[in-house]
Amino acid sequence: MLRRGFLPNIGNLLAFEATARHGSVSRAAEELNLTQSAVSRQIQQLEDSLGVSLFSRSRQRVVLTDVGRLYASQVRGTLTELSDATHQAIALSGTKGVLNLATLPTFGTRWLIPRIPHFLSLHPDATVNFGVRLVPFDFATEPFDAAIHFGEPHWPGAICELLRREEAVPVCSPAYREHEKIRSPQDLARATLLQQSTRPTAWAEWFASVTVEAGNSIRGPRFEQFAMVAQAAAAGLGVGLIPNFLIADELASGRLEVLFPQSILSVGAYYLVYPEHKAEAPLVRSFRDWILEESHQG
């Protein structure tokens, strides 16, 4: 609950934050389009209301005290959040619902976002905001209504809906295949293997599935995202082991080609995750129904 007696005048806070950031009353006054005396007066009012000195004053200089330095950092964050909230409120004028979604980068850019126009055609008054999260988080402390998660269906206080499994195939550019004369799975034992850092055993599993002794299967450059692996493979840096649904465009254009039909199925899977208390929220429910249908269609 807000304690109204502890909420300073926002004009005074703006004057204090600008002066703290610039280290100068005159520069703060110029930014705020006020006179120097007005800014000084607002800072004095703030100090009087708090009962502490926020600046030490020496001739023409103002220097934050220890208390002032801590307060400036917190005030700056609060003013930023207030500005963002105001901007969002204005931006959402006329909409009937907002869905804040955390997604994995490659899944979001390669699979989900290209399909979002279809969702919005069904819900024209909705707005979907995207953020990136790579690991599970606490919905109570993050500004998200739902998330795309890869791994096991374990997320405290949340419901996990299976979207799809991850089936990866070996791919490279046509030029790389020709240059390295890759004709059989055995030939990959001497190729440059592009590694996805969150799937460190993928190549070892693939070589085992085709009964090829590859030696050191974790050799080769490492990348944090499948999108980076795909780009590296298309640039001719080596062979990537990538889920085919994430590289549909590259395969269709011929920038990448599947070397061999043998694939590996990851232990984890992609899930839509949302907090239990939002299970019946209209927009969350609509998005859940839509994305489950889309995932079943491929």
Side-chain angles (χ1 to χ4, degrees), residues 252-268:
S253 68
R255 293 180 64 215
L256 290 176
E257 57 182 38
V258 177
L259 291 171
F260 309 107
Q262 293 91 341
S263 63
I264 59 166
L265 192 64
S266 297
V267 174

Side-chain angles (χ1 to χ4, degrees), residues 5-296:
F6 288 87
L7 294 178
N9 177 281
I10 192 169
N12 294 348
L13 291 176
L14 290 170
F16 164 67
E17 189 282 326
T19 302
R21 177 161 35 85
H22 290 297
S24 165
V25 172
S26 61
R27 292 179 64 186
E30 182 179 349
E31 176 183 308
L32 299 172
N33 197 28
L34 296 171
T35 63
Q36 293 185 41
S37 60
V39 171
S40 295
R41 184 167 57 253
Q42 288 179 312
I43 293 173
Q44 186 62 57
Q45 290 173 351
L46 180 60
E47 290 179 320
D48 291 344
S49 68
L50 297 176
V52 297
S53 294
L54 300 173
F55 293 100
S56 61
R57 296 161 176 83
S58 175
R59 297 177 183 175
Q60 300 300 316
R61 297 179 64 243
V62 291
V63 180
L64 285 166
T65 63
D66 290 342
V67 173
R69 189 175 299 106
L70 175 63
Y71 193 53
S73 175
Q74 295 172 332
V75 166
R76 186 170 299 116
T78 300
L79 290 175
T80 298
E81 290 180 4
L82 180 59
S83 176
D84 290 345
T86 302
H87 181 271
Q88 184 177 41
I90 295 172
L92 297 177
S93 176
T95 65
K96 292 186 178 180
V98 180
L99 181 74
N100 294 309
L101 180 69
T103 187
L104 302 168
T106 306
F107 185 93
T109 57
R110 297 296 186 96
W111 189 87
L112 180 56
I113 291 177
R115 288 169 168 77
I116 286 295
H118 178 227
F119 176 74
L120 296 179
S121 72
L122 300 174
H123 305 277
D125 294 323
T127 297
V128 181
N129 297 324
F130 293 91
V132 171
R133 292 294 184 276
L134 302 180
V135 296
F137 54 85
D138 185 356
F139 278 105
T141 61
E142 294 274 6
F144 295 108
D145 304 302
I148 303 297
H149 164 62
F150 179 83
E152 299 295 330
H154 306 309
W155 194 309
I159 298 170
C160 298
E161 304 265 12
L162 176 64
L163 295 178
R164 63 182 306 145
R165 301 286 178 184
E166 182 180 87
E167 188 173 4
V169 292
V171 298
C172 70
S173 69
Y176 184 84
R177 182 177 198 173
E178 185 61 30
H179 183 267
E180 297 297 322
K181 296 180 172 55
I182 298 174
R183 303 290 183 263
S184 70
Q186 182 65 49
D187 294 330
L188 293 187
R190 55 179 170 75
T192 299
L193 305 179
L194 306 177
Q195 307 285 340
Q196 214 279 20
S197 58
T198 63
R199 312 288 195 276
T201 64
W203 274 114
E205 293 169 12
W206 187 85
F207 281 118
S209 74
V210 295
T211 63
V212 168
E213 179 59 49
N216 182 9
S217 60
I218 62 172
R219 69 184 188 282
R222 304 175 69 82
F223 304 87
E224 288 192 352
Q225 302 296 331
F226 276 125
M228 300 172 73
V229 178
Q231 188 65 35
L237 297 183
V239 182
L241 197 56
I242 310 174
N244 47 21
F245 79 95
L246 293 178
I247 50 173
D249 289 346
E250 287 89 344
L251 294 175
S253 68
R255 293 180 64 215
L256 290 176
E257 57 182 38
V258 177
L259 291 171
F260 309 107
Q262 293 91 341
S263 63
I264 59 166
L265 192 64
S266 297
V267 174
Y270 292 91
Y271 296 88
L272 173 70
V273 184
Y274 49 89
E276 295 171 346
H277 70 272
K278 290 193 175 182
E280 296 306 316
L283 194 54
V284 171
R285 188 172 63 247
S286 296
F287 185 78
R288 176 195 62 202
D289 294 344
W290 171 81
I291 196 172
L292 288 175
E293 183 177 352
E294 286 290 316
S295 64
H296 293 156

